[in-house]
Amino acid sequence: MARIREFDEQQALTEAMHVFWEKGYEATSLTDLTSRMKIQKPSLYAAFGDKLSLFESALRKYNEIHAKSIRLKLNESTSVKTAFRRLFLEGAFPDGTLEQNGCFCINTMVELAPHDAKFEILTREHQQYLAAMFEDALKRGIRSGEIDESINDRAIAQSLVVAFIGITVLKKSNPNREWIDSCIDSALSLLTAPPRKERDSLIK
């Protein structure tokens, strides 16, 4: 008869997620994990596998929460441009985690993705999902008439993801607010199509 686990696996996974998020994969020890998760090493191995498997589960949990948070922020305003500005200004850090930790997925993209194909795929998939959400928001703006229908919504969505990632990383160094505002203004200028005469001259 299988033994019933005496701890909440999802709560333990959430705690592991925060440890990895704060310290990164390499700097996190098993003692760090078991202490925060309030379980013993045998229980950790039985429930989640080894450290790398636990990290993968924690990253998948983060990506799910992060994507939900971003979708909510993009939908919280009737103005798509306002929603994007708030998203870029506030970031989308679930569970109230300080911005100094940055984005767990982006941190993983830097630390593990260059050396591990699995995490290369996981982080790239999250970026692609963000781009799809950004594109949906742009299409909503086009339907409402707020955004010019002549824009390339897919290309702009992908460019906004790149800008969002860059600004998120930049925020970890507590930069000057004017610099952040200028970066956001430049990124969001993509949402404004050039005047028709200028577009026609470019086509010619």
Side-chain angles (χ1 to χ4, degrees):
M1 183 175 181
R3 181 179 177 182
I4 299 175
R5 292 195 175 115
E6 299 175 350
F7 64 93
D8 185 327
E9 286 189 31
Q10 287 305 308
Q11 181 59 39
L13 181 58
T14 297
E15 296 299 335
M17 179 187 78
H18 281 285
V19 177
F20 283 129
W21 191 355
E22 293 164 11
K23 306 186 70 170
Y25 177 75
E26 292 294 343
T28 298
S29 68
L30 287 175
T31 300
D32 293 330
L33 292 166
T34 55
S35 176
R36 184 78 70 89
M37 297 166 76
K38 295 181 172 58
I39 60 176
Q40 300 300 314
K41 289 181 183 179
S43 296
L44 185 155
Y45 290 128
F48 304 106
D50 59 15
K51 177 184 170 184
L52 192 62
S53 297
L54 175 59
F55 184 89
E56 179 184 347
S57 296
L59 177 61
R60 289 182 182 276
K61 183 178 184 69
Y62 173 87
N63 284 351
E64 181 180 346
I65 298 172
H66 188 237
K68 182 179 179 180
S69 178
I70 287 182
R71 186 176 293 279
L72 287 173
K73 287 182 181 295
L74 287 175
N75 292 329
E76 67 184 1
S77 174
T78 55
S79 166
V80 170
K81 291 180 180 180
T82 297
F84 269 112
R85 183 169 295 279
R86 286 178 178 170
L87 174 65
F88 276 58
L89 277 173
E90 300 170 8
F93 302 99
D95 298 334
T97 298
L98 296 175
E99 289 186 352
Q100 281 77 5
N101 289 337
C103 170
F104 184 15
C105 185
I106 295 173
N107 296 345
T108 303
M109 181 176 66
V110 174
E111 182 183 16
L112 293 183
H115 318 292
D116 191 308
K118 178 183 291 184
F119 293 102
E120 176 190 343
I121 293 170
L122 281 175
T123 55
R124 184 170 62 243
E125 285 178 344
H126 190 57
Q127 295 163 37
Q128 292 170 341
Y129 190 56
L130 295 185
M133 286 193 290
F134 282 15
E135 186 176 347
D136 286 345
L138 294 177
K139 289 182 185 298
R140 189 171 72 251
I142 291 172
R143 289 194 298 269
S144 71
E146 181 185 7
I147 297 176
D148 194 298
E149 64 181 3
S150 68
I151 69 166
N152 185 331
D153 49 17
R154 176 162 297 182
I156 288 178
Q158 293 170 347
S159 296
L160 288 176
V161 169
V162 173
F164 182 64
I165 290 173
I167 291 170
T168 300
V169 174
L170 187 64
K171 281 184 176 182
K172 293 180 69 174
S173 64
N174 193 27
N176 182 281
R177 173 61 186 267
E178 291 182 1
W179 189 7
I180 289 291
D181 288 342
S182 177
C183 291
I184 293 174
D185 286 341
S186 295
L188 297 186
S189 68
L190 293 171
L191 303 183
T192 304
R196 186 170 297 278
K197 288 184 179 180
E198 183 178 338
R199 294 202 303 271
D200 291 344
S201 66
L202 290 173
I203 293 174
K204 292 176 182 180

